[in-house]
């Protein structure tokens, strides 16, 4: 264990034997850090935080701070739960859950760049990539392998589907369906073809997802009508998560941009 002499470790903190804690860090009494974790300078961990192995926390990260919620009771037993093999660059902030027994969650293999903020009860799946200064309000859910552009902002309770790609500087208060490219203000403009290829989706699977996208967005039907039409057709398993995401949306889903750019044709 390598702990700088200026770091403050409160009694009760559960630290693995091979972690590194840099100068002027402050680790609270309810913090658990797994093997291989590295904290650079001035990191603050407070409240109940549970982090797995091989997580990197850059200068100035604040993990487990109280949520920015006027109804929050400081005595509430809530937490931040983090998986393994994540990178949190400088000044990432992650607030703990706002209700007793709730948690803010980051999966494994994620990369959060400078200034990313996760509010209370946000849930990140695995392998999520977030560029600088993106802001996620309370209860936002982000699916596996999503890529979020810098400076994007997300309203509370919305969902970002698996393998979605979001352009930088965008803002959203509606759900972003899986496999889609989204930008500007609550719009999508096609399928994340490159992301699907990198994730190992076959040509047939990609074609099926494109067909599902066209059924929802390019038939001139509203969402209810498009889902009804889709239910009468036979689909490969890869398309079902797309329709299930739409069916389960509570805030509504992003619309197709009026200045639609034709998505890349597959070779």
């Amino acid at each position: 264990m390598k702990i700088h002499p200026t770091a403050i470790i409160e009694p009760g903190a559960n630290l693995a034997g091979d972690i590194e804690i840099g100068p002027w860090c402050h680790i609270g009494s309810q913090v658990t850090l797994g093997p291989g974790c590295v904290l650079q300078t001035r990191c603050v961990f407070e409240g109940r935080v549970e982090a797995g192995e091989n997580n990197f926390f850059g200068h100035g990260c604040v993990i487990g701070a109280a949520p920015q919620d006027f109804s929050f009771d400081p005595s509430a037993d809530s937490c931040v739960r983090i998986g393994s093999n994540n990178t949190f660059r400088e000044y990432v902030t992650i607030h703990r859950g706002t209700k007793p027994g709730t948690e803010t969650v980051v999966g494994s293999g994620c990369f959060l760049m400078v200034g990313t903020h996760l509010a209370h009860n946000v849930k990140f799946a695995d392998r999520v990539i977030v560029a600088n200064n993106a802001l996620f309000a309370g209860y936002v859910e982000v699916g596996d392998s999503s890529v979020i552009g810098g400076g994007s902002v997300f309203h509370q309770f919305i969902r970002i589907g698996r393998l979605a790609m979001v352009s930088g500087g965008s803002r959203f208060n509606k759900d972003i369906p899986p496999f889609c490219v989204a930008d500007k203000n609550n719009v999508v403009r096609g399928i994340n073809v490159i992301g699907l290829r990198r994730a190992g989706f076959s040509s047939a699977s990609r074609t099926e997802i494109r067909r599902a996208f066209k059924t929802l967005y390019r038939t001139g039907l509203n969402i209810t009508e498009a889902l009804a039409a889709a239910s009468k057709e036979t689909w490969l398993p890869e398309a079902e998560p797309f329709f299930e995401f739409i069916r389960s949306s509570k805030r509504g889903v992003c619309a197709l941009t009026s200045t639609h750019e034709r998505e890349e044709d597959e070779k």
Side-chain angles (χ1 to χ4, degrees):
M1 186 181 296
K2 183 178 178 181
I3 300 179
H4 194 275
T6 62
I8 297 174
I9 313 297
E10 294 185 7
N14 182 10
L15 308 181
D18 61 346
I19 66 173
E20 297 182 20
I21 299 179
W24 302 293
C25 291
H26 189 151
I27 310 300
S29 62
Q30 294 181 287
V31 173
T32 298
L33 297 176
C37 286
V38 174
L39 283 62
Q40 293 189 306
T41 61
R42 301 185 186 278
C43 294
V44 176
F45 285 64
E46 62 179 87
R48 186 154 58 91
V49 178
E50 301 171 3
E53 62 185 23
N54 299 322
N55 292 298
F56 175 89
F57 299 91
H59 305 289
C61 286
V62 178
I63 312 297
Q68 298 173 137
D69 179 353
F70 291 131
S71 68
F72 176 66
D73 180 353
S75 68
D77 181 21
S78 59
C79 77
V80 171
R81 181 165 54 86
I82 296 170
S84 299
N85 303 306
N86 297 292
T87 296
F88 304 91
R89 291 297 302 267
E90 299 89 323
Y91 308 110
V92 167
T93 56
I94 304 177
H95 291 172
R96 63 184 183 267
T98 192
K99 302 296 182 184
T102 68
E103 56 189 11
T104 303
V105 177
V106 177
S108 295
C110 298
F111 194 116
L112 279 61
M113 301 183 197
V114 175
T116 299
H117 172 66
L118 274 59
H120 61 86
N121 301 95
V122 166
K123 288 184 168 53
F124 272 29
D126 298 333
R127 299 175 299 280
V128 176
I129 298 174
V130 183
N132 298 13
N133 298 316
L135 308 177
F136 299 82
Y139 296 97
V140 171
E141 298 182 11
V142 184
D144 284 335
S145 302
S146 296
V147 178
I148 311 298
S152 301
V153 294
F154 302 90
H155 192 277
Q156 61 185 353
F157 293 105
I158 73 165
R159 300 176 302 155
I160 303 169
R162 175 189 177 201
L163 277 164
M165 177 173 285
V166 178
S167 298
S170 304
R171 56 182 183 172
F172 298 89
N173 61 16
K174 293 186 180 296
D175 292 346
I176 301 171
F179 316 129
C180 288
V181 176
D183 64 6
K184 297 182 177 26
N185 183 10
N186 288 330
V187 297
V188 295
R189 58 181 177 85
I191 293 296
N192 181 15
V193 177
I194 294 175
L196 290 172
R197 286 175 177 159
R198 289 176 177 171
F201 282 68
S202 67
S203 177
S205 297
R206 297 194 304 268
T207 297
E208 191 74 340
I209 291 169
R210 287 162 64 95
R211 183 165 75 97
F213 181 91
K214 291 175 181 178
T215 298
L216 185 72
Y217 284 114
R218 297 185 188 160
T219 56
L221 303 174
N222 63 34
I223 296 296
T224 301
E225 293 168 341
L227 290 175
S231 68
K232 298 176 183 177
E233 299 188 38
T234 300
W235 299 90
L236 294 178
E238 292 82 355
E240 183 52 36
F242 180 83
F243 290 120
E244 177 54 34
F245 185 96
I246 304 299
R247 284 192 291 266
S248 61
S249 177
K250 296 179 180 179
R251 294 194 59 88
V253 297
C254 292
L256 186 67
T257 177
S258 57
T259 56
H260 173 63
E261 299 176 13
R262 186 180 300 276
E263 60 186 294
E264 174 188 353
D265 289 333
E266 296 197 47
K267 304 297 184 183

